[in-house]
């Protein structure tokens, strides 16, 4: 994990959250409230990954 950047780590977390949500969507034993929480988690992870990918590069510290 030493070679991975924060953006790579966030992307990994997003993929895992998306995979878990997909599996939960076909498992009818999971309550709707938990599915909604999982969707929110995926949205947060996507936003975080997108933000970290934006901040790559020479002017990344400026948020550009």
């Amino acid at each position: 994990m030493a070679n991975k950047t924060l953006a790579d780590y966030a992307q990994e977390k997003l993929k895992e959250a998306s995979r878990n949500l997909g599996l939960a969507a076909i498992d009818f034993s999971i309550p709707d409230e938990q599915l909604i929480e999982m969707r929110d988690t995926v949205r947060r992870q996507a936003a975080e990954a997108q933000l970290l990918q934006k901040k790559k590069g020479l002017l990344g510290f400026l948020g550009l």
Side-chain angles (χ1 to χ4, degrees), residues 8-10 18 23-24 33 35 37 39-40 47 53 55 61:
D8 293 336
Y9 180 68
S18 296
L23 292 173
E33 294 82 18
L35 282 174
E37 289 174 14
R39 283 181 58 199
D40 289 339
Q53 290 210 348
K55 292 190 176 186
F61 67 92

Side-chain angles (χ1 to χ4, degrees), residues 16-25 30-45:
E16 181 182 346
S18 296
R19 190 176 326 112
N20 289 342
L21 179 61
L23 292 173
I30 296 177
D32 290 340
E33 294 82 18
Q34 189 174 358
L35 282 174
I36 292 170
E37 289 174 14
M38 293 175 87
R39 283 181 58 199
D40 289 339
T41 301
V42 170
R43 285 186 186 140
R44 281 193 306 270
Q45 295 297 333

